[in-house]
Amino acid sequence: MRPTGKLHLGNYVGALENWVRMQEQYDCFFVIVDWHALTTDYADPSRLKENLVDVLLDWLAAGLDPAKCVMFIQSHVPTHAELHLLLSMITPVGWLERVPTYKEQKENIKGKDLDTYGFLGYPVLQSADILIYKADVVPVGEDQVAHVELTREIARRFNSFYPRKGVGGYAAPTATPEELQRRFYIFPEPQSLLTPAPRLPGTDGRKMSKSYGNALLLTDPEPVVRQKLKTMVTDPARVRRTDRGDPDVCPVGDLHKIFSSKDTMAKVYEGCRSAGIGCIECKSWAADALVKILNPMQERRKKYEDNPRLAWDILEAGSARARDVAEATMDEVRESMGLDYGPAKDSTK
Ligand code: SF4
């Protein structure tokens, strides 16, 4: 995740909620990618540290648990940069120019010069982030599937140039394709793990995004949540209290579908379609549901806000663990590429 500062409910239902579940089933590595932030925001890195702390606090608030997963900062594991460099040697420029988000972001992000080597190459850095942990799966949204596909292509190309050294003999006839793959090659080909994330509308009905100014933040206190909900757009057909509406075309209805109980949903459908309830009442029920989710998160967050050292300790311990795993992979990479000739000797001594 990029260090974009405080997270919103869209980040929660689109990614974090799923990550919290995944930490129970997988060996998870969650990374705050500060170098990626520089690919677009290189001109002003002044808020980087503050933003990454906010992301970490929101992760912890949402329920990521350092006893169950590894949380770390990308730049604290310098081997990501080494693998990025090595992978960039074998990645054809055409592959990067064809990445759909490359063109899209260049056209849509205004006021920044993205004609840079770093911006073109950021999917290679992303591939290094994934491959250095030999990830089997990467939880992504639809827009990132092409990046995981590119990672697979880069892994395949690396494996074909640099198979493991000294692996010979016969493999057991019962060996699975995965076992064979791991025996002969360093990098497994990671798969996208797509989780169907509901589209979360912001207060203006568009997709929730901090850049639209329509977001409900995980840190918003109850009065702010209620105030934001009050201004939220509703079914445009419901102009007067006596007009009937339809929760299926109302952004508040979308919030209810994600966060409210079945009983509340039934009341919303019945009351809206018969004009039996007003939008103000309906919105207060949605606010109740949101506050119920946000309150425990904000309590957890406060524990770390009051003691920031605790949060840094988690990042430092996670970064140390990540460095160990990444370094072990890099030993294999250097060996397979014939770069395992040890550190340079100081000829002046
Ligand atoms: S009653 Fe609720 S669902 Fe219906 S239009 Fe108003 S806010 Fe939307």
Side-chain angles (χ1 to χ4, degrees), residues 232-236 238 244-254 256 268-269 271-273 277-283:
M232 188 154 184
V233 298
T234 58
D235 176 357
R238 224 183 154 196
R244 290 161 194 265
D246 181 358
D248 286 338
V249 293
C250 173
V252 181
D254 289 338
H256 276 299
V268 169
Y269 270 110
C272 179
R273 286 176 172 164
I277 57 167
C279 290
I280 293 175
E281 191 178 5
C282 179
K283 287 174 168 184

Side-chain angles (χ1 to χ4, degrees), residues 97 99-110 114 119 143:
E97 287 169 335
V99 172
T101 47
Y102 174 65
K103 264 197 184 155
E104 211 176 279
Q105 291 199 354
K106 262 183 84 172
E107 280 160 19
N108 292 335
I109 298 180
K110 302 283 178 224
L114 297 181
F119 184 67
D143 57 335

Side-chain angles (χ1 to χ4, degrees), residues 164-180:
R164 280 187 193 284
K165 287 228 168 106
V167 181
Y170 294 102
T174 51
T176 63
E178 288 77 24
E179 283 164 347
L180 287 175

Side-chain angles (χ1 to χ4, degrees), residues 28-39:
C28 292
F29 286 74
F30 297 118
V31 55
I32 301 174
V33 287
D34 50 347
W35 283 335
H36 279 282
L38 293 176
T39 60

Side-chain angles (χ1 to χ4, degrees), residues 155-187:
R156 233 171 273 148
R157 193 163 161 89
F158 180 95
N159 287 341
S160 72
F161 282 132
Y162 316 112
R164 280 187 193 284
K165 287 228 168 106
V167 181
Y170 294 102
T174 51
T176 63
E178 288 77 24
E179 283 164 347
L180 287 175
Q181 211 272 349
R182 280 176 198 274
R183 180 177 163 132
F184 293 106
Y185 303 115
I186 289 169
F187 294 128

